[in-house]
Amino acid sequence: MLRAHTVEDVRRAEAAAMARLPEGALMQRAAAGLAAAVLDLLGGGYGRRVLLLVGPGDNGGDALWAGARLAARGASVEGLLLADHAHEAGHAALLAAGGRTTRNADDLDPHPDVVVDGIVGIGGRPGLRPDAVAALERFAGVPVVAVDVPSGVDVDGGTLDGAHVRADLTVTFGTHKVAHLVDPACLASGAVHLVDLGLDDGDLGAPAVEALQPADVRRLLPRPGPTAHKYTRGVVGVRAGSSTYPGAALLAVAGAACGLTGMVRYVGPDEVAAAVRSAHPEVVGDGRVQAWVVGPGGGDDAEAMVAAARSDDVPVVADADALRHVDGRAPGWVLTPHAGELAAMLGLERAEVEAAPLEHARRAADRFDCVVLVKGHHTLVADPGGRVRATTTGVPWLATAGAGDVLAGLIGALLAAGLDPFDAASVGSWLHGAAATQASGDGPLTAGRVADQIPRLVRDTLAGLG
C-alpha cells in the first residue's frame, strides 16, 4: 500500500528519528537520495550543468547538500539564493565542493540541464513569491526536479492557490505527501520518487490518503473456493438503461459480467433487456441479489430504480441518474459521481469540487454516511470514517462515454462477491484504470474495450503479473 501522510505526521516522525540518530543524519540521507535521482535523470554527473533554486529552510539545505554531492561527481553546480539566508552547513559544503552561489540571476549559466526546486518545503504556504516566479520563468523549458514537494502547492489539501512549481520529477522523503496523490496538486509533481529515511510507521501514524498497489489488489480480489457454486460466489443485479440510453445498460452489465461473481441479473425495459440478453446470454432476469447497480442511463426511471433497490436492503452502487435521487443517509451504498454530479449533490459549483476534490469527497461521505467515489485524474474513494484512497492507475483516454457505466457494474460485482463498500470501490477503480491502460496501448479507447479487458487483467493480477 502506498501511504501519504500530513505535514504534522511527518514532522512528528522526523523529530522522533532525529532523537535516535546523529545530528544531520536525516538531511544527509535526503541529500544522497536527491543527488542519486538527479544523476539518474541526467545520465551521469560529469559535465552536466545543475541549477539549484534555494530557499531559506531545510528544503534549501537538502538542495545545497545534494548540490555538493553532484559537484563532487563532476557537475557544474550553481545556486540561486532566494532568501537573505541559506542553510549554513549546506551552503558551505556546496562551496567547498566547487559549486558557486549568487543572489543575482543574471550571473547564472542561462542553459542549465536541470533545475532543482529547493524553494520551499512541506511547511510552506500555497503560492510563491515574485522572485521565485521570475526565476522559474527565466528557465522555463528546463526539466525541474522538486525537493520533497513542488514548491507552492497545498501539501495537505492537494489544492493549488497561486503560482507553483510544475516538476518533471519530485524526490520526496520518508513518506509520500497528500499532494502527491490528490488532484489537482498531484499534476504538479510529475513522477514521484520516494527516498527511505528510516521513519518509524508508528511515529507516522495512520495515513491521510492511501493508494492501492498490485499486491494489495491481489490480496483483496475475490476468488472461488473448491466447493463454490454460482450462488455462493455472489449475484449482482443491474437496474439501468432506458429507450433513450440502452447502451448504458449494456456497458453496466458488461462491467458486472466480468467473471468476479457467479451470476448477473438485469431488470429494465423489455427492449433493453432483449439487447442485454443478446450481448450477454448468461445474464438472467429479476431475483435475489447480494448487490444492486442502479442509475446508468436510467433517465426518468432512475427514481423507481433507486426505490426498488433500496427495498432489497443490500449494498447498492448508485451512478449517473440515480445520484439525483439519493437523499439523506445511505449506509452500505457506494455513490460514484463525477465532479459535476457531486457539485449538484452538495449544492456547489463544479469548479469548487474540481479545485478541492479531497475536501468534498470527505464532506459527501460524511453527509450521506456511505462510500463516495469521485471520478477524476486520480479518482478518490472516501468513507464516513475518514479513510481515503486515491487511484493512480488509468490513462487520459479513459475519459470516454460509457466508462463510468462499466465502473459502476464492476464495483457492483465486487460488492456482490463479498468485498465491503470501501474495498469494492477502491479495487474496482484500480482495476478499471489498469484495464484501460492495458487496452489502450497508448492509443484511443472505448468503454467496451475496458470491460473486455477486465477478466484478463484480473487473471494477470492474481498471477502476480501486474
Side-chain angles (χ1 to χ4, degrees):
M1 190 83 71
L2 190 155
R3 296 173 171 86
H5 290 83
T6 66
V7 173
E8 181 180 356
D9 293 337
V10 174
R11 294 296 194 212
R12 181 180 61 249
E14 287 180 342
M18 286 189 286
R20 300 190 299 265
L21 296 170
E23 184 178 357
L26 280 188
M27 183 169 284
Q28 290 304 316
R29 290 177 183 178
L34 174 59
V38 173
L39 287 169
D40 186 60
L41 177 69
L42 294 175
Y46 187 78
R48 307 304 198 276
R49 297 164 296 179
V50 178
L51 171 62
L52 313 176
L53 300 182
V54 182
D58 286 348
N59 196 254
D62 294 334
L64 289 164
W65 276 110
R69 291 174 176 267
L70 293 168
R73 293 289 298 271
S76 171
V77 182
E78 297 182 321
L80 178 61
L81 305 182
L82 295 171
D84 293 336
H85 63 279
H87 189 277
E88 186 174 346
H91 192 192
L94 175 62
L95 297 178
R100 60 183 292 268
T101 62
T102 179
R103 300 183 191 279
N104 185 355
D106 292 334
D107 295 338
L108 298 168
D109 184 332
H111 303 293
D113 296 306
V114 67
V115 171
V116 177
D117 159 33
I119 302 169
V120 293
I122 61 174
R125 291 178 294 185
L128 292 174
R129 296 189 328 187
D131 58 342
V133 174
L136 291 165
E137 290 176 346
R138 187 184 189 97
F139 298 101
V142 178
V144 175
V145 176
V147 180
D148 215 3
V149 293
S151 293
V153 305
D154 171 12
V155 179
D156 282 350
T159 65
L160 299 174
D161 184 12
H164 59 276
V165 168
R166 288 191 175 273
D168 298 276
L169 170 67
T170 295
V171 181
T172 196
F173 311 121
T175 181
H176 287 79
K177 316 306 184 290
V178 175
H180 298 143
L181 295 182
V182 172
D183 291 339
C186 66
L187 292 165
S189 295
V192 180
H193 172 69
L194 176 65
V195 175
D196 184 9
L197 296 185
L199 302 184
D200 187 271
D201 286 344
D203 294 328
L204 282 167
V209 179
E210 299 174 328
L212 294 178
Q213 303 300 293
D216 305 308
V217 176
R218 186 159 53 250
R219 172 178 54 84
L220 290 167
L221 274 170
R223 62 201 79 185
T227 61
H229 54 78
K230 62 187 177 184
Y231 295 111
T232 61
R233 293 189 61 207
V235 180
V236 58
V238 178
R239 294 180 181 270
S242 61
S243 57
T244 306
Y245 300 109
L250 288 163
L251 290 167
V253 168
C258 57
L260 290 171
T261 61
M263 183 184 291
V264 179
R265 298 185 182 276
Y266 175 74
V267 180
D270 290 344
E271 66 272 24
V272 180
V276 167
R277 285 192 296 271
S278 176
H280 303 279
E282 73 278 11
V283 174
V284 299
D286 200 1
R288 186 176 178 182
V289 301
Q290 279 71 58
W292 280 108
V293 178
V294 297
D300 294 338
D301 295 332
E303 185 174 10
M305 292 175 178
V306 170
R310 191 187 294 274
S311 68
D312 271 355
D313 196 28
V314 297
V316 174
V317 181
D319 184 47
D321 293 324
L323 295 169
R324 295 184 283 110
H325 305 289
V326 177
D327 52 351
R329 305 174 81 77
W333 287 37
V334 177
L335 313 182
T336 59
H338 57 58
E341 291 165 335
L342 183 58
M345 296 176 77
L346 296 176
L348 302 171
E349 296 296 323
R350 180 177 186 137
E352 294 178 83
V353 173
E354 290 177 334
L358 177 60
E359 173 189 345
H360 296 299
R362 285 175 167 155
R363 177 181 167 189
D366 183 62
R367 174 171 172 177
F368 297 104
D369 192 27
C370 66
V371 169
V372 176
L373 179 152
V374 183
K375 300 166 189 172
H377 162 250
H378 278 187
T379 290
L380 297 179
V381 178
D383 78 1
R387 293 182 299 171
V388 178
R389 285 180 180 155
T391 301
T392 56
T393 58
V395 289
W397 294 109
L398 186 53
T400 187
D405 305 331
V406 173
L407 174 60
L410 173 57
I411 295 171
L414 290 163
L415 277 175
L419 268 62
D420 68 47
F422 186 65
D423 284 340
S426 49
V427 169
S429 180
W430 189 96
L431 290 172
H432 187 248
T437 301
Q438 284 190 357
S440 168
D442 296 323
L445 187 65
T446 59
R449 287 175 55 203
V450 177
D452 290 343
Q453 190 66 32
I454 292 169
R456 287 187 285 274
L457 173 69
V458 170
R459 177 201 63 195
D460 292 347
T461 303
L462 290 174
L465 302 176

